[in-house]
Amino acid sequence: QVQVKESGGGAVQAGESLRLSCTVSGLPFDDYVVGWFRQVPGKEREGVSCRRRSGGRVYYLDSVKGRFTISGDNAKNTVTLQMNNLQPEDTAMYYCVADPTLIQEPTCLRDFRFWGQGTQVTVST
């Protein structure tokens, strides 16, 4: 059974940082795509950052480039999203995602089969 579990959300003030962590278990593949999505009630969800477990190029949403960094620890099957200089517009429920289907370019603009329950990030002014 595939499990995707996030941790690390919280409430911060603008300009501060948070780190989200995600553990993926049960996927019987050496490589797969992992990433982070976010969603605000009433708005479409958006892909924040995605990468292959094996590494390589990374996809970032334009609005988070230079502020967010995705990384992975394959030994622990974890993926981390370091979020710096957080802004109120980053407030959302953040979801970790995983999918075994590999495509040539890293992107969040695709379907993901496995989703975590989400962790809330709230940024105040």
Side-chain angles (χ1 to χ4, degrees):
Q1 182 179 0
V2 178
Q3 291 188 329
V4 180
K5 190 171 184 179
E6 311 95 337
S7 63
V12 297
Q13 293 189 325
E16 295 184 341
S17 300
L18 277 176
R19 178 177 294 181
L20 305 182
S21 293
C22 172
T23 301
V24 180
S25 60
L27 269 176
F29 304 102
D30 290 334
D31 200 10
Y32 46 85
V33 181
V34 294
W36 294 90
F37 277 67
R38 66 186 183 187
Q39 188 168 24
V40 176
K43 294 187 177 181
E44 288 191 5
R45 66 191 179 195
E46 56 184 4
V48 176
S49 183
C50 294
R51 57 167 279 170
R52 288 173 69 154
R53 178 179 183 269
S54 59
R57 295 176 63 185
V58 176
Y59 169 91
Y60 289 107
L61 183 68
D62 282 347
S63 62
V64 308
K65 287 180 179 177
R67 300 188 298 123
F68 290 13
T69 303
I70 190 171
S71 60
D73 184 338
N74 289 345
K76 298 180 180 179
N77 285 332
T78 59
V79 59
T80 298
L81 185 68
Q82 177 66 41
M83 306 185 293
N84 297 329
N85 190 22
L86 282 160
Q87 299 300 314
E89 52 266 34
D90 296 316
T91 295
M93 184 71 78
Y94 283 71
Y95 298 90
C96 183
V97 296
D99 193 283
T101 302
L102 302 177
I103 57 178
Q104 187 171 5
E105 290 294 325
T107 180
C108 292
L109 305 178
R110 51 163 289 171
D111 291 333
F112 283 86
R113 195 177 313 174
F114 303 105
W115 291 70
Q117 294 296 310
T119 185
Q120 179 68 36
V121 172
T122 303
V123 186
S124 58
T125 56

